[in-house]
Amino acid sequence: EPGWEENNKDNVFRIITRNRLFKTDKEIKVGMTVEDLKKAYEIIEVSTEGELGIHIIVKDFDGSFGIELPNSNDWWNINKSTIPDSLRVTEIIIVGK
């Protein structure tokens, strides 16, 4: 995706992949679990804001990890300490600097 402002609309702002072939510097790929993610990175925040679903922000990674929604009617109440380890990564988002 390009930037949104006049001064950066020609720059890459964000790259999103749902491809299982790509992995991060710490070997995390789409399809892996929250448990795998916790072993590789320190979770800073679990975001359930907006219409994007669940995203995990981790230390030492410029982006976030989209996570599948659990079978729960109150998934937006999930936080860093309550996110189920069994949920899977559905996308990896890399944000440009």
Side-chain angles (χ1 to χ4, degrees):
E1 293 179 21
W4 300 327
E5 305 296 326
E6 188 62 35
N7 65 338
N8 66 8
K9 68 181 181 178
D10 295 330
N11 298 342
V12 173
F13 168 69
R14 176 170 53 197
I15 297 172
I16 301 171
T17 186
R18 293 175 185 91
N19 189 321
R20 292 175 180 252
L21 296 177
F22 297 108
K23 59 186 174 184
T24 69
D25 61 331
K26 294 190 179 183
E27 307 293 318
I28 297 299
K29 301 189 290 186
V30 169
M32 296 181 87
T33 64
V34 169
E35 181 178 21
D36 297 325
L37 188 59
K38 286 178 178 178
K39 289 177 183 175
Y41 294 97
E42 177 186 339
I43 294 178
I44 296 172
E45 178 185 357
V46 174
S47 174
T48 58
E49 299 173 9
E51 51 201 44
L52 298 176
I54 301 171
H55 280 264
I56 296 179
I57 294 96
V58 298
K59 186 176 182 180
D60 299 325
F61 183 79
D62 292 325
S64 67
F65 296 87
I67 305 298
E68 70 183 342
L69 296 179
N71 291 330
S72 168
N73 291 333
D74 64 344
W75 59 266
W76 57 87
N77 289 321
I78 289 177
N79 60 46
K80 187 167 120 173
S81 62
T82 63
I83 190 162
D85 284 344
S86 60
L87 295 179
R88 299 206 173 268
V89 174
T90 58
E91 64 184 10
I92 299 171
I93 299 174
I94 301 168
V95 177
K97 290 184 177 188

